[in-house]
Amino acid sequence: MQMQQQIQVLETSYGGAGDGSDHFDDDGRPKRTGTLWTASAHIITAVIGSGVLSLAWAVAQLGWIAGPIVMLMFSLVIYYTSCLLADCYRSGDPLTGKRNYTYMDVVRSNLGGSKVQICGIIQYVNLFAIAIGFTILTSKSMLSLHRSECLSKGGSTRSCESSTIPYMVLFGVIEIFLSQIPGFDQIWWLSIVAAVMSLTYSSIGVGLAISKVAANGTWKGSLTGPTLSSMSEIDRVWRVFQALGDVAFSFCYALILIEIQDTIRSPPSEAVKKANLDTDESPPSEAVTMKKANLISTVVTTGFYMLCGCMGYAAFGDQTPGNLLTDSGFGKPIWLVDIANIGIIIHIVGGYQVFVQPLFAFVEKWILTKWPRNKLASMEIPIRIPGLKAFKLNMLRVVCRSSLVVMSTFIAMLVPFFNEILGITGAFVFWPLSVYFPTEVYIAQKKIPRWGLKWIGLQIMSLACLMISIAAGAGSVAGVVKNLKTYKPFNLKA
């Protein structure tokens, strides 16, 4: 009984406002307050992140023909499968059916068996990998700011070189503090700020690329990709595969879609619905709102991705850097590049929390189930902030979340390969979580007949995406292996 009460308290902190009010949803959890715009902000924060800065490099590996086509195809596939997954948020009736609070709950309700554990392992390992990628990116932006300040004070290029390790540590400390925010409903403001920052630095990247194209007086690049004579055919193949992984990563958010959908306010109660029967309008379900959020975020992100990827390639051609803003892509104007890097830092600080909140919730719930008499779960220290309501610091959150942040920071310092990490993460999250499970749970819930036209179409799409994921993973792993041959871990003089 004590364990169930502790788990209920933990779940409550992730499911609603947590303000102690008497307003609850039909399942007893605090009433959700999310809207179309907060859901869209969560998605944009998650999607327009570290991935957007690698897209110019990805297009450079694919060329002018395949690059834009690949980005468009990924966006269409992700949008379609995300809508399939959104339809499975409730089991049965889309308005009154049982809610599935997490991605694993959706799989459990529709597929069951070992697929639940497989889904959970893939989802949470990838969330952890994304945290590592975010740590690497933020440290690069911080390092870029350091170099800019050093050069402005008269330092030489060599004397201004430094390591990303101290900045990874600083980022980890910041995230330890922010990770004490209980759940998604409490970080809506952080997502909105992060979404604005992501659009800001993406716009700066596009503007700088356009100005460089104008200065060059021509569009660089080729129709089929790199023409570097120093690159072997096998290296080019690996880089094309890695580029597919980078593009896949930049669009993926299905692994947190259900958790985002679970913040959207519930449809009106039965009494309200009966009172409004004469309006001939049915109340929108969470799935309807989520599909609109999917559409808004897909249109916004695809537009920015096309601009960033294509204009970045047009500006640099075969010499396109792996990270458009931090890998010496643009040198001037320095102040504008600095603003962009500040935007990246602010955005990733918030985006990190959007991705790791489901991981935090899973680990803490698992601990309570494993050790039901855990005293840390009920141990709280009130923190009084002048002008604000007292914040209760839960010791279970402090220990678990701080440990996870420290682990992701340590691994980022050990293997700080930005593009390769994105490629590997994209490869292993794209097919299983963004394609396979959404299609399978949709087929099960909607009872789509086997060997029917729709069933065959979904299976063909899934098989094609599986082959892309395998190729992307192989290319990214090959890139990591190649870099490890010359890399010295924890090198403070890098």
Side-chain angles (χ1 to χ4, degrees):
M1 179 63 68
Q2 182 184 9
M3 180 187 74
Q4 292 298 328
Q5 290 175 344
Q6 289 176 327
I7 293 178
Q8 183 63 39
V9 169
L10 176 64
E11 291 180 338
T12 297
S13 70
Y14 289 95
D19 56 3
S21 67
D22 295 329
H23 302 288
F24 296 92
D25 281 328
D26 53 3
D27 58 356
R29 292 191 175 198
K31 189 172 290 295
R32 293 158 291 154
T33 58
T35 65
L36 168 65
W37 302 111
T38 59
S40 299
H42 283 315
I43 296 173
I44 292 173
T45 298
V47 177
I48 302 184
S50 53
V52 68
L53 299 175
S54 68
L55 286 178
W57 181 88
V59 173
Q61 312 314 309
L62 299 169
W64 279 117
I65 296 177
I69 292 175
V70 166
M71 282 198 287
L72 183 60
M73 293 303 298
F74 269 103
S75 69
L76 292 176
V77 169
I78 293 295
Y79 169 69
Y80 178 68
T81 57
S82 295
C83 288
L84 296 183
L85 187 58
D87 275 333
C88 301
Y89 171 67
R90 285 183 181 266
S91 299
D93 189 275
L95 290 173
T96 59
K98 175 184 174 295
R99 287 165 54 195
N100 295 301
Y101 307 114
T102 66
Y103 200 135
M104 284 184 67
D105 288 341
V106 171
V107 176
R108 183 179 292 108
S109 297
N110 293 280
L111 302 179
S114 60
K115 291 183 179 179
V116 180
Q117 286 72 35
I118 294 172
C119 172
I121 292 171
I122 296 173
Q123 180 186 10
Y124 295 117
V125 167
N126 275 284
L127 288 174
F128 188 71
I130 289 171
I132 296 171
F134 279 5
T135 304
I136 297 170
L137 173 62
T138 310
S139 67
K140 285 180 174 289
S141 292
M142 290 179 175
L143 179 59
S144 181
L145 289 174
H146 163 77
R147 288 173 178 166
S148 176
E149 181 184 5
C150 179
L151 291 172
S152 67
K153 293 181 178 179
S156 65
T157 302
R158 185 176 183 82
S159 65
C160 292
E161 289 297 321
S162 183
S163 170
T164 58
I165 290 179
Y167 300 105
M168 290 183 184
V169 174
L170 175 60
F171 177 74
V173 171
I174 294 172
E175 292 301 341
I176 286 175
F177 281 102
L178 288 177
S179 66
Q180 304 313 312
I181 300 174
F184 262 126
D185 270 16
Q186 289 84 355
I187 65 170
W188 63 267
W189 58 273
L190 193 58
S191 281
I192 291 176
V193 171
V196 171
M197 289 296 101
S198 66
L199 296 176
T200 299
Y201 69 72
S202 298
S203 300
I204 292 175
V206 171
L208 290 172
I210 292 174
S211 66
K212 190 169 182 64
V213 170
N216 293 337
T218 183
W219 286 48
K220 294 186 177 183
S222 65
L223 294 178
T224 57
T227 57
L228 297 175
S229 59
S230 60
M231 186 187 304
S232 66
E233 284 299 318
I234 187 62
D235 283 341
R236 181 172 178 176
V237 170
W238 289 134
R239 290 176 72 167
V240 168
F241 287 169
Q242 184 182 326
L244 293 176
D246 284 5
V247 176
F249 175 85
S250 66
F251 281 101
C252 288
Y253 65 93
L255 70 172
I256 57 171
L257 184 146
I258 295 299
E259 285 79 358
I260 292 175
Q261 191 167 345
D262 194 47
T263 67
I264 298 173
R265 63 174 57 132
S266 61
S269 64
E270 290 298 324
V272 173
K273 281 186 270 184
K274 290 179 181 178
N276 292 333
L277 286 179
D278 57 342
T279 64
D280 294 327
E281 294 182 2
S282 60
S285 65
E286 297 96 343
V288 171
T289 303
M290 194 66 196
K291 287 180 181 179
K292 291 180 180 178
N294 287 338
L295 179 60
I296 291 171
S297 58
T298 299
V299 170
V300 171
T301 55
T302 303
F304 271 93
Y305 283 1
M306 285 290 188
L307 285 171
C308 284
C310 294
M311 295 310 302
Y313 182 39
F316 296 101
D318 291 343
Q319 303 300 325
T320 301
N323 186 312
L324 196 59
L325 289 172
T326 63
D327 290 345
S328 302
F330 302 106
K332 296 179 181 179
I334 294 177
W335 64 270
L336 193 56
V337 177
D338 287 347
I339 291 176
N341 280 303
I342 291 172
I344 293 172
I345 294 168
I346 296 174
H347 167 251
I348 299 302
V349 164
Y352 186 101
Q353 291 299 317
V354 170
F355 274 105
V356 296
Q357 285 290 339
L359 177 61
F360 290 156
F362 171 78
V363 172
E364 290 165 17
K365 185 176 180 179
W366 178 81
I367 289 175
L368 286 176
T369 304
K370 191 76 172 177
W371 295 283
R373 300 183 182 277
N374 193 306
K375 295 182 179 180
L376 288 176
S378 58
M379 186 183 302
E380 293 183 339
I381 300 176
I383 305 296
R384 302 193 178 279
I385 304 174
L388 297 176
K389 184 172 63 175
F391 180 80
K392 294 182 179 179
L393 192 65
N394 182 276
M395 294 310 296
L396 179 62
R397 285 202 295 266
V398 172
V399 174
C400 291
R401 300 184 179 195
S402 299
S403 300
L404 287 170
V405 173
V406 169
M407 288 171 60
S408 66
T409 304
F410 177 81
I411 296 175
M413 290 189 291
L414 189 63
V415 191
F417 308 134
F418 177 67
N419 286 81
E420 289 78 6
I421 293 296
L422 295 192
I424 292 173
T425 305
F428 289 103
V429 74
F430 172 63
W431 178 72
L433 298 184
S434 295
V435 180
Y436 174 75
F437 282 115
T439 56
E440 290 300 310
V441 297
Y442 181 80
I443 288 172
Q445 180 154 315
K446 303 302 179 183
K447 296 180 173 58
I448 296 176
R450 183 182 289 267
W451 303 115
L453 187 61
K454 189 168 186 178
W455 185 90
I456 293 175
L458 290 173
Q459 297 303 326
I460 291 174
M461 179 186 69
S462 180
L463 180 61
C465 291
L466 171 60
M467 291 188 290
I468 291 174
S469 285
I470 292 173
S476 299
V477 170
V480 170
V481 172
K482 182 178 180 180
N483 284 331
L484 283 175
K485 292 178 180 179
T486 57
Y487 174 69
K488 296 180 180 180
F490 306 112
N491 185 5
L492 292 173
K493 296 181 180 180

